[in-house]
Amino acid sequence: MTLLLPPKELAAKYGITVKGWTNIVLLQEADRRGLGITKNEEKGFYYLTSAKGTKFAWRNGYTNWNTILSQRVAQHKDVSSRILAAYGVPSTENQVFGEREAGRAWLWAEPLGPLVVKPANGIMGKNVHVGINTREQFLQAYDDVAKARNGRVLVEKYYSGVEHRCFVVNGKLVGVTRRRPASVLGDGVSTVAELVSEKNRDRGRIHIQLQLDDVAHDLLAENDLSRGSIPAAGERIYLRRASNLHQGGDAIDATDDLSPDEVAIAEATARAIPGARSFGIDLLLPRNPGDDPPRVLEINTDPMVSMHHFPWEGEPRDVASAIIDGMFPSTRSD
């Protein structure tokens, strides 16, 4: 793995503004390989070009190396689930409903047990409601999603397990991150507020500040805690249910934690989606007693790359090099 150039050096070298570590790690590797780098300022795309004239676009994980078909499939979670199921890949039972179909959606969903209600085209874990059991909870969640996300609501059976982001390049698993919801670890002395302040002192390149907002206060209260509570040493206190990094979650490298069967599921997903060459898979895996068997939650054709390079815990994984290897195999050094 090569050392990263600071963003300002990349910007100065190419006369362009480089934003975001997912861009930086990829462009830095392209530069190391001697690829041409230009930018379309209007669209925000970076173009990587080899000496032989091979050219691909890149922007925040998006690349036209993935086919348009694969990108469209990824945008429709219900469609991707059905494709995966047709290929024998364990996926989720879900359905998409319109803004005014809450009653119909509840009739469909009620027999499934606990539910997840989220945007059909959601990003960054926003407006995701997990573990819904009652009609009242369902209607409130449905209304929240419908108002926030253009009316299209994905209703899904809830599955228990631990979510892992698996990055696959050219059909091969190259990095796995377990995303832990925003949390602090008790030391037996400090309050929750003090633990949050301490953790926020240095969140590194990609991890965002934890927030003791209304959402955190409500979750603390459910567990008879407050910002002034002193957790026991080793007790983890959660401030969010969703594990998304954009809500303060931690990226934990888990590449070596998957069993051969679990790796096979990730790579079978790649084979089932035509033209998906560089993408992320959200894979739910059983890690606690009572968890459900492995299941693919969704696929993402413009995933965050930098979480694999800068984990909060564990070994960095050089996913950017794997992507460049796939796009431009003639630049490989091995």
Side-chain angles (χ1 to χ4, degrees):
M1 187 176 296
T2 56
L3 294 175
L4 289 167
L5 293 171
K8 62 181 180 180
E9 291 186 24
L10 276 174
K13 186 169 185 178
Y14 297 105
I16 55 178
T17 301
V18 182
K19 294 182 179 180
W21 283 100
T22 284
N23 286 333
I24 293 165
V25 295
L26 197 286
L27 296 180
Q28 185 262 351
E29 182 60 24
D31 175 66
R32 190 183 73 81
R33 305 276 186 103
L35 297 169
I37 302 175
T38 56
K39 185 181 181 183
N40 182 315
E41 294 289 347
E42 181 179 352
K43 296 183 178 180
F45 285 113
Y46 299 95
Y47 292 98
L48 314 179
T49 309
S50 71
K52 296 181 179 180
T54 302
K55 185 176 183 179
F56 292 108
W58 177 268
R59 183 183 64 192
N60 298 325
Y62 164 87
T63 174
N64 61 353
W65 189 37
N66 290 323
T67 64
I68 293 176
L69 175 60
S70 69
Q71 294 166 30
R72 288 180 176 172
V73 168
Q75 290 168 0
H76 297 275
K77 297 177 176 65
D78 54 331
V79 173
S80 60
S81 291
R82 284 153 182 74
I83 291 175
L84 293 176
Y87 279 87
V89 178
S91 57
T92 57
E93 187 171 356
N94 56 35
Q95 188 65 264
V96 173
F97 296 91
E99 181 177 4
R100 301 182 183 277
E101 295 184 299
R104 177 170 169 261
W106 173 248
L107 290 175
W108 176 84
E110 184 181 12
L112 299 179
L115 301 168
V116 177
V117 177
K118 60 184 179 180
N121 59 342
I123 57 172
M124 298 184 182
K126 295 179 179 178
N127 304 106
V128 175
H129 302 265
V130 179
I132 292 171
N133 290 289
T134 69
R135 186 176 188 273
E136 182 181 6
Q137 291 173 335
F138 180 84
L139 294 177
Q140 289 177 349
Y142 197 101
D143 184 61
D144 172 69
V145 175
K147 287 180 178 178
R149 295 290 174 175
N150 300 320
R152 285 175 51 80
V153 181
L154 183 80
V155 181
E156 186 171 77
K157 176 179 171 58
Y158 171 79
Y159 301 91
S160 63
V162 178
E163 186 178 331
H164 292 67
R165 168 56 64 84
C166 303
F167 206 107
V168 177
V169 177
N170 257 354
K172 181 177 175 57
L173 184 65
V174 297
V176 181
T177 295
R178 183 174 66 252
R179 291 173 294 186
R180 182 173 60 205
S183 62
V184 291
L185 191 65
D187 59 10
V189 177
S190 305
T191 66
V192 170
E194 290 168 341
L195 292 168
V196 168
S197 179
E198 176 63 27
K199 190 170 183 177
N200 280 342
R201 288 183 182 177
D202 183 7
R203 290 290 275 155
R205 292 182 173 97
I206 66 167
H207 291 87
I208 72 169
Q209 299 279 296
L210 304 183
Q211 301 294 322
L212 274 176
D213 53 11
D214 290 344
V215 175
H217 289 155
D218 289 346
L219 188 55
L220 288 170
E222 286 182 23
N223 294 283
D224 297 322
L225 297 169
S226 69
R227 59 183 293 131
S229 299
I230 300 177
E235 180 183 6
R236 186 162 296 281
I237 305 299
Y238 290 95
L239 308 175
R240 289 289 190 279
R241 287 189 173 89
S243 58
N244 199 283
L245 299 192
H246 297 283
Q247 296 189 37
D250 297 331
I252 313 297
D253 177 65
T255 307
D256 296 331
D257 295 349
L258 271 63
S259 70
D261 287 345
E262 292 167 347
V263 172
I265 291 173
E267 296 183 347
T269 301
R271 294 192 296 272
I273 307 298
R277 302 180 178 115
S278 171
F279 71 111
I281 302 166
D282 287 342
L283 183 59
L284 199 69
L285 297 174
R287 292 294 182 265
N288 300 298
D291 281 348
D292 291 308
R295 201 164 292 267
V296 176
L297 297 178
E298 61 182 72
I299 62 175
N300 189 328
T301 50
D302 54 351
M304 183 178 183
V305 175
S306 55
M307 72 168 73
H308 301 281
H309 286 252
F310 308 114
W312 185 253
E313 296 175 10
E315 181 181 346
R317 306 290 173 167
D318 195 0
V319 170
S321 288
I323 296 170
I324 297 296
D325 284 346
M327 288 179 171
F328 304 99
S330 63
T331 67
R332 294 175 63 115
S333 57
D334 56 2

